[in-house]
Amino acid sequence: MPGVPEGYEPHAKALGKLLRSARGRRRQRDIEQAVGVSDSSLSRFERGQSIPDIEIAAKLDEVLRLDGKVSEQVRAILFPAGTVPIPVGRRLIVAVFPPDYLGAVYVHLRTAAGQRAAVVQVTLIWGDWWCRHTLMLDATGVALQFAKVEAAKRSVPLRVQTSHPVAATYGLDMPAELPDQRIIDANDGWALRSQEIPRAHDER
């Protein structure tokens, strides 16, 4: 089972409290057998000493009838969204999404601190696929939303290359505070990296 990432100990403790409360008077061993984990695994989860992986989290949700709460907290610990500055001309890993996650993901791009609004060319590279967008970015920014449609045995990093300094935030689903007019459906326009990159969206 994954260890607790540095700085996320309070989150692991909160997850453990949730599991203890949901288990109630049932024996840890009974829950472990129902979920299919080894002896003492649940004890470590409840004490915040380790984190269940995504598959085990889903089983805990089912057995403890927690309606996805365990999976949500585990994703927040193991795959946290983060703000990553992307300098000009460099290709950096922006996001590593859970390998078995299927659903909406996003990359929220905005001008870097101290920068004026500008037209920015953005290239997304995800495994064998890539696409290009030309966006007018300001301090509020624009979110590119698309779907992760295939499960995999390992995570494939999403990389971003930009023509101007920007800040990027990534995650699952979509931040609620972003207005709809700032969200772009980026599911179309992807091509294999062996092909010329299409210009999927041009917003000026």
Side-chain angles (χ1 to χ4, degrees), residues 6-194:
E6 184 177 356
Y8 282 84
E9 292 84 0
H11 299 74
K13 294 288 187 183
L15 174 60
K17 184 177 180 180
L18 172 67
L19 294 173
R20 286 195 304 273
S21 175
R23 177 169 61 86
R25 296 184 177 181
R26 286 177 286 181
R27 296 188 305 170
Q28 288 180 337
R29 185 175 181 181
D30 292 339
I31 303 299
E32 289 167 344
Q33 290 178 344
V35 172
V37 294
S38 59
D39 293 348
S40 77
S41 292
L42 184 58
S43 176
R44 293 196 298 273
F45 299 156
E46 290 185 353
R47 294 199 302 268
Q49 295 178 343
S50 64
I51 304 297
D53 60 27
I54 295 296
E55 182 179 356
I56 297 302
K59 291 180 180 179
L60 285 166
D61 276 323
E62 180 180 356
V63 171
L64 297 175
R65 299 181 180 180
L66 283 171
D67 194 28
K69 292 180 181 178
V70 178
S71 297
E72 181 180 354
Q73 291 197 28
V74 166
R75 286 195 181 101
I77 295 170
L78 297 181
F79 306 98
T83 299
V84 183
I86 306 174
V88 174
R90 290 190 61 190
R91 188 175 298 167
L92 299 178
I93 294 175
V94 173
V96 180
F97 300 108
D100 58 346
Y101 172 77
L102 299 177
V105 298
Y106 72 88
V107 177
H108 178 200
L109 303 170
R110 57 198 180 281
T111 52
Q115 299 292 320
R116 296 181 178 180
V119 176
V120 178
Q121 187 175 87
V122 179
T123 302
L124 304 180
I125 302 171
W126 202 0
D128 294 330
W129 297 85
W130 58 5
C131 67
R132 178 172 291 159
H133 300 262
T134 302
L135 307 172
M136 172 61 77
L137 297 184
D138 55 17
T140 301
V142 172
L144 302 173
Q145 185 178 39
F146 41 99
K148 187 174 183 298
V149 297
E150 294 182 356
K153 293 183 178 179
R154 62 183 180 87
S155 296
V156 177
L158 173 70
R159 293 175 170 85
V160 174
Q161 186 175 13
T162 65
S163 60
H164 292 67
V166 304
T169 305
Y170 60 86
L172 310 179
D173 301 317
M174 179 60 63
E177 66 273 11
L178 201 63
D180 289 344
Q181 61 268 30
R182 294 285 185 148
I183 300 173
I184 295 173
D185 184 344
N187 284 296
D188 295 330
W190 291 80
L192 288 170
R193 294 176 65 182
S194 57

